[in-house]
Amino acid sequence: MTTPDLWLDAIILGTRDITPTVREFQLRYPKSVHTAPGAHVDVQAMVNGQPCTRSYSVVRADAKDTLTIAVKQVPDSRGGSRYMWTLAPGARIRASAPKSNFEPVYDASPCLLIAGGIGITPLLSLAHALVARRAPVQMLYAARDRAELAYVDDLRSMLGDALSTFVSSEGEHLDVAHELRALPADAQVYLCGPMGLMDAVRASWSSQGRDRSRLRYETFGSSGRLAPEAFTVHIPRLALEVHVPATQTMLDALTDAGVAMVSNCRRGECGLCVVDVLDAHGEIDHRDVFFTPEQHAQRSKVCTCVSRLAGGRITIDPPWRGDPDLTQTDVLAR
Amino acid sequence: MDQRATFPLNAWYVAAWDAEVGRSLLARTVCNQQMVLYRRRDGRVAALADACWHRLVPLSLGTLVDDDIRCGYHGLRFNADGRCTHMPSQDTINPSACVRSFPVEERHRFVWVWPGDPALADPALIPAIPGMDDENWAGDGNMVEVKADYRLIIDNLMDLTHETYVHGSSIGNEALAEAPFEATHGSTMATVRRWVLNEEAPPFWAAQLGKSGPVDRWQVIHFKAPATIMLDVGVAPTGTGAPEGDRSQGVGMWVIHIPTPSTEKTSYYFWCHLRNYRVREQRLTREILQAARGILLEDETIIEAQQRAMDANPGRDFYNLNIDAGSLWARRLIDGLIDRESGADALPARVIPLVPQPDTVRA
């Protein structure tokens, strides 16, 4: 079960740029809120004039009713970060109380935190919580540029040598398979980062035969391997052609075009908005964690709430079949 | 949060099995409407509001006199149309004296009532139920009262993965929970298809087939809004052509489940198992009925516990998984009916694609 969003009217007390592309927003709530390690808040962002829910990790709790989130400005995003960056101190925003699906397990086993870019944000509070419990913790932190290593000074003073950074523009490469091989069998991994990093860790984890429950990751479905581009969806069963702009999800574009769809999580976890792929001219950028990397490679199904085509045209089959004729014997479909 | 009604009123609901209604008064509450059912001398069923016009005492506490109900308090009589036919100690009848009469139809061995606007009660809207009126199919069923929202029973049936975990000793096994499925929908129906190929049959099905060896098992769940579920299920020995449409070497059932909302949190759960093999063996009818009763009790236990947990966690929503696609389509169709009658359909329900479609498309 999940707790549905009860929107609270928060006020932005202040903002602070901590890297050229990451800005903190300090939110004050109308009441006390509890922030667990790894927590995020949902906020109502206005995108193309419509309220849309976006999730941002809490980087610290400042007071009983005040907390700070960090938002990376992504020029080609779905519009949430662009909206956030327009907000100045004093602005009001509707936000949920913090929720955490990412709380650590405090047992004696070693913890490895793996962060890529803005994925550092949920891991920051996890690192604090684990260090406070004197849990054995290590962190691998990868970013494109040194200037984008947000919170690296805090982390260095907290973790010391247990922090390793990898700056790709300086030729430093995080070898995921190598790092995981070095872990004892009972190690736990907490992971947040871009899709490529998440896929690499998930693939190595399973190929090394590790316990699935010891790998925890969080995704808000917002990053892909490829930049979002506009593309076209062709639906032969409905004789329909739908244009998906770079700033809209395939799920929303299909729904707006009148295609009946069901969905729930809208971040690539639950698999309800999946449709069959009949053909694709263009590269499918799978951004969900519902399918395995092997299933992604088959290119036969796509999670429409997050995944996209990097330009071009995709042919799909939605779940519409019309009312069936019950006097006919059912035969195995396809 | 969601203040939408949980059931549409403008729909046919099963109020009773045919054999439950006779020359006596049967009280049922359908969609919060308290009604009393009885059979007239010509066999036709009547359904009246279960509250006397005079002092609101339930008419079901009265007596059947010819085709009228006589109230057990002051003796007012009402006919099958709800009109008062007798008042005590006066020679006339108050012209406004009447109770509500609900549209009733008897079909597919069930008594259907329409709790909403009687002007809209078109008998053609009663779902067609395969096997129920067909001499090649035999079987029987029952009704249990379940202390839960009828939609929880629909959720349960729209994802038969639960058979593996709730009914592991009879009809469930691991192969079932892991087999791929397909959830599709039309304008009034939702369908979940699952085939398990070349696997050992679970105990119940192995006994029905009467043969050992691997089988192909089909499970096609048809939901018709608002509350009729028809399961097309069966097994055939692998290699005899069932996946291609030839089921002649197998055994099949239509399992009919109709959970009628009584209130928001209670239901009458009607069910029936129809088979197309050994149709003249009445002993088998009894054995399947008894086996089904045990299986349904397992569902009832889970669903009532779920309702209690929901009441204990107010404001919490379900997390839906991929396996819940069938139930989400069913609920979408139910909500579409509710929105249509509450006037909320100024916004399109988005069940029916905008592009016209032939109504029947084979997968």
Side-chain angles (χ1 to χ4, degrees), chain A residues 2 4 261 264 271 321 323 334, chain B residues 182 185 188 315 320 322 332:
Chain A
T2 59
M261 298 285 290
N264 190 187
R321 294 291 181 281
D323 285 349
R334 281 185 285 280
Chain B
E182 183 191 46
H185 73 104
T188 71
N320 292 303
N322 178 250
R332 175 81 65 96

Side-chain angles (χ1 to χ4, degrees), chain A:
Chain A
M1 288 204 292
T2 59
T3 304
D5 291 328
L6 289 175
W7 293 116
L8 301 169
D9 287 311
I11 186 160
I12 293 175
L13 291 185
T15 67
R16 183 169 72 113
D17 287 353
I18 53 166
T19 80
T21 64
V22 177
R23 179 172 294 177
E24 285 186 345
F25 296 82
Q26 193 179 43
L27 269 55
R28 192 172 72 206
Y29 283 78
K31 60 173 199 174
S32 296
V33 291
H34 171 71
T35 304
H40 67 272
V41 298
D42 289 342
V43 302
Q44 211 174 61
M46 297 303 289
V47 179
N48 302 325
Q50 297 287 325
C52 295
T53 300
R54 293 290 184 269
S55 304
Y56 298 107
S57 292
V58 178
V59 291
R60 78 189 152 261
D62 304 298
K64 278 183 178 168
D65 62 351
T66 307
L67 54 79
T68 298
I69 59 174
V71 181
K72 184 176 174 73
Q73 189 187 36
V74 189
D76 49 11
S77 80
R78 296 171 295 167
S81 71
R82 197 175 317 126
Y83 169 80
M84 290 299 297
W85 276 59
T86 65
L87 298 177
R92 289 175 185 283
I93 187 165
R94 308 193 87 185
S96 72
K99 326 175 186 189
S100 185
N101 301 317
F102 204 46
E103 282 187 66
V105 173
Y106 303 103
D107 56 16
S109 60
C111 290
L112 177 65
L113 311 181
I114 306 177
I118 190 65
I120 191 62
T121 54
L123 297 177
L124 194 60
S125 61
L126 242 57
H128 275 288
L130 289 163
V131 168
R133 294 266 188 144
R134 300 180 191 286
V137 56
Q138 271 198 301
M139 179 181 273
L140 308 174
Y141 183 8
R144 215 165 287 161
D145 298 301
R146 190 156 295 279
E148 291 300 334
L149 283 172
Y151 303 108
V152 71
D153 296 336
D154 293 356
L155 289 164
R156 182 66 70 197
S157 64
M158 176 167 51
L159 297 170
D161 289 345
L163 172 70
S164 310
T165 59
F166 303 84
V167 176
S168 58
S169 65
E170 296 174 13
E172 295 169 354
H173 173 64
L174 169 55
D175 182 346
V176 165
H178 170 77
E179 299 285 351
L180 295 188
R181 263 194 303 274
L183 290 177
D186 66 339
Q188 314 178 51
V189 166
Y190 295 87
L191 164 70
C192 189
M195 229 33 225
L197 176 67
M198 307 252 288
D199 278 353
V201 174
R202 291 204 297 158
S204 290
W205 193 263
S206 85
S207 74
Q208 293 180 21
R210 289 176 176 275
D211 179 350
R212 279 201 291 189
S213 73
R214 309 292 284 177
L215 171 63
R216 298 293 308 277
Y217 49 87
E218 184 156 77
T219 168
F220 297 137
S222 52
S223 88
R225 254 174 247 89
L226 307 163
E229 286 181 46
F231 61 102
T232 305
V233 185
H234 177 49
I235 310 156
R237 192 185 289 279
L238 304 180
L240 207 59
E241 192 100 359
V242 178
H243 174 74
V244 185
T247 55
Q248 196 180 26
T249 66
M250 198 191 324
L251 174 63
D252 286 339
L254 290 171
T255 304
D256 286 353
V259 180
M261 298 285 290
V262 291
S263 63
N264 190 187
C265 73
R266 303 181 77 94
R267 58 192 211 195
E269 293 177 0
C270 75
L272 279 165
C273 65
V274 167
V275 295
D276 291 330
V277 176
L278 304 178
D279 196 13
H281 293 281
E283 195 173 341
I284 301 177
D285 189 13
H286 289 289
R287 298 175 169 207
D288 63 281
V289 293
F290 172 71
F291 292 119
T292 63
E294 296 74 33
Q295 288 172 315
H296 283 158
Q298 289 171 3
R299 296 164 55 93
S300 63
K301 287 178 187 291
V302 67
C303 231
T304 57
C305 66
V306 290
S307 299
R308 323 182 50 88
L309 205 65
R313 186 169 186 259
I314 187 168
T315 305
I316 64 159
D317 203 10
W320 169 266
R321 294 291 181 281
D323 285 349
D325 176 359
L326 301 192
T327 64
Q328 299 292 310
T329 295
D330 203 275
V331 295
L332 183 52
R334 281 185 285 280

Side-chain angles (χ1 to χ4, degrees), chain B residues 52-54 68-71 74-79 83-94 97:
Chain B
C52 181
W53 170 81
H54 174 221
D68 293 355
I69 296 183
R70 187 179 66 208
C71 180
H74 303 104
L76 278 79
R77 278 171 64 161
F78 298 90
N79 70 14
R83 295 291 169 87
C84 184
T85 60
H86 174 77
M87 280 190 175
S89 302
Q90 59 184 69
D91 294 338
T92 55
I93 290 172
N94 184 321

